[in-house]
Amino acid sequence: MRIRFLSPEDAQKVAAGEVIERPANGIKELLENSIDAKATHIELEVHEGGKTKIRITDNGIGMSSDDAHICFERYATSKLGSFNDLTHVQTHGFRGEALASICSVAKVTLTTKEQGHIEGLQLKIEEGKVLSSHTVSSQVGTTLLIEDLFYNIPARKKFLKNTATEWNQILALFKAFCLAYPHVHFELFHNDEQIYNCPTVPSVTQRIAQLFDARVTTSLCELITVQTNELSVSGVVTTSDYNRYDRSGIYFFVNNRLVKNYQLGRALLKGFENLLPPGKYPLAVITLTIDPLYVDVNIHPKKEEVLFLHPHKVEQAICQAVKLTLEKQTEQQLSKSIHRPHNPFGGPTIYNTQQPPFPFAKPLYQPLQTYNGYTPDPFTQEPVTPSSKLDSADPVHVEQQDTVQVNQTYFEEPTYHIIGQHQTTYILLEHPEGLLLVDQHAAHERILYERFKNNFKNPETVHLLFPVIINLSVSDCDLLLRYVDLLKQHGISVEQFGSEQLRITSVPVYAKHLPLAELMQELLSWINEHDAQSDDTFLKKITEKIHAQLACKAAIKAGDVLSHEQMKTVLRDLEKTENRFSCPHGRPTQWLLSTREIEKRFKRIS
Ligand code: ADP
Ligand code: MG
């Protein structure tokens, strides 16, 4: 064996692998170049998940003929004069590596024209060399056509995922760019079909409406900007009435660069402080502007990760921004309920603003701890929640419980009288001590949860005539398959179907009509979130999670119209249920507005 040097071409291919692993990486570089070139309109066309063809057309400043001939040489960049400039770069590119990498692993056609020139220039490049060069008529700006990615590196080509997976990554990336640059018109095509057309909009909120379900925007609120001497945090987040199953709707931009960073995500979620149900995530677009001295964007070949000098300060600022925003939002909701109540008579309603508002607008998902050490403020009525019950915060006692403890009975027949349903969400009851409100979903959820918990081993199952197919990533499939036995114990039979598919073949009788795929997705996100370990406590926790999910899905929903009989059944069942004062997520199931409080408000007593 003799030591030899790689040829420059091969060395370039190896280096390219660090920058371009898959189509989405190449697209990211090209989009960044278009942004750096001050484009205001960018069109992205993709074929077969980017494996066969990618075309990006921008209306940026274009390149001169000289620049076009050298732009794909390694370290060719117009964005950095010397190494000392590194800390101050404002552009995305600065290494001059992207085009060189792409041109060494794909067939590239570059068409470009500068302002004031009559003709454009078209170059065909293969293996980093110009095959042909001629003038063409074209618009001002640049088009890069990338064909046959990895045609000359079969080993790498083999590692490309199926079209759907590659496409999903491109889609996520495209959305991120749209969110970061609302003032740029973006269009996206897949296999000649237009997927998105997002003309320029004045704000990220409108961008979100273009990209996501337009209803999301009603739950969006702008972050209160938090500024320190190093950085400022701004952006938008959805409030707790909107949520998603995973973190895919959370975007962070550091100095306008899309960044992946688990810690930042965690800080964001911390800001929500239990306002989100477990396993649910917000949609958030967070922009961090940070003095370049305090961040290194140069640590990762794909420039996806950044290193903060003081990560803790950054996380704190994010958490703080979210917290302040949500607090303010809750306050506004409360004051709205005083100033603009629904008035059936149409005329202006004048309320004494000194009067505390009704306590309905409290955030739904109160953290458990606050119930225990609850300091009742003048704005809220303390929920009916004996703290001894809530101490059983880890309700995983799988043994059968024969005796049901009843500490306080609020609606024992015949003392209660059902008044009716309020907003098809709460059951209203006349109660000896006042007016009792029962959250029908939370109550039913608790009833079912306790029932599943007590009868969980080997429930009666049905074989599904049409198995439910779940599409997952390969790693998620593998992860879920680790829990096949546990799921089986709960009557759910799951098996591998394809490399990225699982199927459910049988389920417990009561779960027959439940959205099973959604259930599995949620379970997975939860497992991912909670660092899968396979020790006993973790298995117990998953068991608890499965019960809670089944209960949540099978329970009566807010908005379901209930007959008198149905309400009665819920109340009667709830009365016989363990831990009945809170639902499995820790929300209260019921709330008593005492007669005394009612009388005080009507100034019958003082
Ligand atoms: P970098 O972005 O790090 O400078 P690249 O390899 O991505 O390196 O690009 C090399 C050079 O090619 C850029 O510095 C820029 O001058 C030019 N360039 C690339 N894409 C475009 C574009 N879409 N419009 C104008 N110039 C471009
Ligand atoms: Mg670049």
Side-chain angles (χ1 to χ4, degrees):
M1 260 306 210
R2 299 252 327 264
I3 293 178
R4 290 186 301 120
F5 286 100
L6 287 176
S7 70
E9 291 79 15
D10 285 346
Q12 175 58 59
K13 283 183 208 166
V14 173
E18 285 180 29
V19 184
I20 316 292
E21 254 171 4
R22 51 177 7 99
N25 307 139
I27 291 172
K28 174 170 182 275
E29 296 290 344
L30 298 176
L31 288 173
E32 287 181 346
N33 282 346
S34 296
I35 298 281
D36 284 347
K38 304 190 170 52
T40 55
H41 187 173
I42 301 174
E43 231 177 81
L44 169 60
E45 285 173 63
V46 171
H47 287 260
E48 294 175 48
K51 290 191 280 193
T52 53
K53 198 157 108 181
I54 299 164
R55 190 200 321 260
I56 296 196
T57 305
D58 70 45
N59 66 347
I61 56 173
M63 285 182 248
S64 68
S65 165
D66 286 350
D67 281 354
H69 275 92
I70 57 161
C71 68
F72 50 87
E73 303 273 345
R74 198 161 190 210
Y75 308 128
T77 176
S78 55
K79 302 167 193 173
L80 204 62
S82 72
F83 194 77
N84 290 337
D85 288 350
L86 253 183
T87 36
H88 300 293
V89 278
Q90 297 294 329
T91 50
H92 289 91
F94 52 82
R95 298 157 173 259
E97 259 179 332
L99 285 186
S101 301
I102 294 169
C103 289
S104 73
V105 296
K107 299 172 183 167
V108 175
T109 308
L110 163 70
T111 311
T112 189
K113 190 174 101 170
E114 277 188 311
Q115 185 79 46
H117 286 241
I118 300 162
E119 284 172 321
L121 177 72
Q122 188 166 72
L123 301 181
K124 285 193 184 295
I125 303 143
E126 249 176 61
E127 300 271 341
K129 293 191 181 66
V130 180
L131 294 186
S132 71
S133 155
H134 51 265
T135 53
V136 287
S137 76
S138 77
Q139 306 281 346
V140 172
T142 304
T143 299
L144 273 150
L145 172 66
I146 316 294
E147 289 169 295
D148 274 344
L149 188 61
F150 299 136
Y151 74 100
N152 53 356
I153 318 179
R156 200 164 270 284
K157 194 170 177 141
K158 249 193 356 227
F159 280 101
L160 287 176
K161 296 268 165 58
N162 65 29
T163 299
T165 309
E166 299 295 351
W167 167 242
N168 277 336
Q169 300 221 4
I170 294 169
L171 206 56
L173 181 83
F174 176 82
K175 286 185 185 170
F177 270 88
C178 289
L179 293 168
Y181 303 98
H183 62 280
V184 175
H185 180 176
F186 284 99
E187 293 186 67
L188 176 64
F189 297 81
H190 193 209
N191 299 336
D192 292 323
E193 188 194 343
Q194 179 150 44
I195 309 295
Y196 282 111
N197 181 10
C198 303
T200 310
V201 281
S203 76
V204 71
T205 305
Q206 277 119 313
R207 236 323 114 84
I208 292 174
Q210 289 174 330
L211 291 171
F212 298 87
D213 182 350
R215 277 172 306 174
V216 176
T217 49
T218 58
S219 313
L220 273 181
C221 62
E222 203 163 310
L223 276 192
I224 293 175
T225 303
V226 166
Q227 194 136 17
T228 71
N229 50 5
E230 285 179 22
L231 72 139
S232 89
V233 180
S234 57
V236 291
V237 287
T238 48
T239 51
S240 52
D241 53 352
Y242 170 87
N243 44 58
R244 306 167 67 81
Y245 294 121
D246 56 30
R247 295 162 177 261
S248 67
I250 302 177
Y251 294 88
F252 283 100
F253 298 94
V254 175
N255 295 347
N256 254 349
R257 188 190 300 276
L258 177 68
V259 156
K260 288 183 188 162
N261 186 310
Y262 187 82
Q263 278 73 23
L264 297 186
R266 207 174 46 187
L268 173 91
L269 296 175
K270 201 167 151 211
F272 274 86
E273 260 197 336
N274 292 351
L275 278 164
L276 285 167
K280 296 287 167 73
Y281 303 89
L283 192 145
V285 180
I286 311 290
T287 313
L288 288 164
T289 311
I290 181 161
D291 186 327
L293 286 174
Y294 297 103
V295 61
D296 186 354
V297 292
N298 208 14
I299 54 158
H300 192 272
K302 295 201 283 292
K303 295 182 255 111
E304 279 172 352
E305 283 161 31
V306 292
L307 199 63
F308 296 107
L309 191 60
H310 304 125
H312 187 63
K313 285 189 187 170
V314 179
E315 286 156 36
Q316 230 175 4
I318 292 172
C319 179
Q320 186 76 359
V322 174
K323 219 162 133 176
L324 289 174
T325 306
L326 295 176
E327 273 169 18
K328 184 171 150 216
Q329 206 245 351
T330 310
E331 257 169 41
Q332 278 173 350
Q333 268 182 4
L334 279 170
S335 68
K336 257 191 226 157
S337 69
I338 326 172
H339 296 298
R340 278 185 275 114
H342 174 66
N343 179 356
F345 306 108
T349 318
I350 297 151
Y351 274 71
N352 176 359
T353 49
Q354 297 307 308
Q355 197 70 13
F358 288 103
F360 302 133
K362 255 298 201 203
L364 281 183
Y365 291 86
Q366 281 288 339
L368 270 178
Q369 311 85 284
T370 53
Y371 284 130
N372 291 332
Y374 207 72
T375 25
D377 65 5
F379 290 89
T380 47
Q381 183 79 22
E382 189 149 14
V384 185
T385 327
S387 54
S388 64
K389 282 285 162 194
L390 277 170
D391 287 342
S392 55
D394 59 340
V396 196
H397 297 294
V398 197
E399 326 86 84
Q400 198 86 24
Q401 291 265 338
D402 291 327
T403 50
V404 175
Q405 271 184 307
V406 181
N407 294 352
Q408 277 166 288
T409 309
Y410 279 110
F411 31 77
E412 206 173 323
E413 253 184 319
T415 49
Y416 67 77
H417 165 67
I418 298 175
I419 301 168
Q421 235 180 331
H422 174 59
Q423 292 198 327
T424 55
T425 302
Y426 307 99
I427 303 171
L428 300 190
L429 297 172
E430 208 177 288
H431 180 271
E433 284 165 38
L435 176 66
L436 186 69
L437 293 95
V438 175
D439 182 318
Q440 64 193 40
H441 173 68
H444 199 214
E445 213 179 348
R446 171 57 79 189
I447 296 167
L448 294 179
Y449 178 84
E450 296 299 323
R451 215 175 272 168
F452 297 155
K453 194 170 95 176
N454 292 335
N455 309 303
F456 98 93
K457 284 263 170 178
N458 307 319
E460 200 186 330
T461 61
V462 280
H463 197 75
L464 296 175
L465 199 55
F466 301 103
V468 174
I469 310 289
I470 315 167
N471 295 311
L472 298 169
S473 69
V474 175
S475 57
D476 280 351
C477 276
D478 291 347
L479 185 59
L480 203 60
L481 286 171
R482 281 195 241 157
Y483 299 98
V484 162
D485 290 343
L486 189 82
L487 288 164
K488 185 102 193 172
Q489 286 177 5
H490 290 77
I492 304 173
S493 304
V494 179
E495 58 189 36
Q496 179 116 37
F497 190 49
S499 66
E500 298 191 341
Q501 283 182 327
L502 298 180
R503 66 174 174 188
I504 305 180
T505 52
S506 62
V507 292
V509 177
Y510 59 74
K512 202 166 62 175
H513 299 297
L514 301 184
L516 295 163
E518 192 179 308
L519 221 120
M520 289 299 123
Q521 294 272 14
E522 278 180 10
L523 186 66
L524 245 168
S525 322
W526 187 87
I527 297 173
N528 271 322
E529 227 7 59
H530 290 77
D531 291 337
Q533 319 124 4
S534 45
D535 62 18
D536 281 356
T537 48
F538 188 67
L539 286 180
K540 262 189 175 177
K541 281 212 164 126
I542 297 191
T543 304
E544 177 191 338
K545 175 71 190 166
I546 295 171
H547 291 147
Q549 272 190 311
L550 286 171
C552 183
K553 291 274 183 300
I556 297 166
K557 301 276 172 298
D560 287 351
V561 178
L562 302 183
S563 69
H564 195 82
E565 269 317 300
Q566 287 171 316
M567 289 192 259
K568 229 160 132 180
T569 312
V570 170
L571 297 171
R572 204 176 296 138
D573 289 349
L574 183 62
E575 200 183 315
K576 295 185 216 130
T577 298
E578 275 276 280
N579 304 314
R580 66 170 188 275
F581 295 103
S582 68
C583 80
H585 300 119
R587 288 205 292 124
T589 55
Q590 52 200 273
W591 176 58
L592 181 72
L593 183 57
S594 69
T595 307
R596 200 183 142 67
E597 179 65 23
I598 296 173
E599 290 185 329
K600 252 168 64 185
R601 292 209 186 204
F602 286 107
K603 309 233 180 284
R604 289 180 176 274
I605 56 168
S606 51

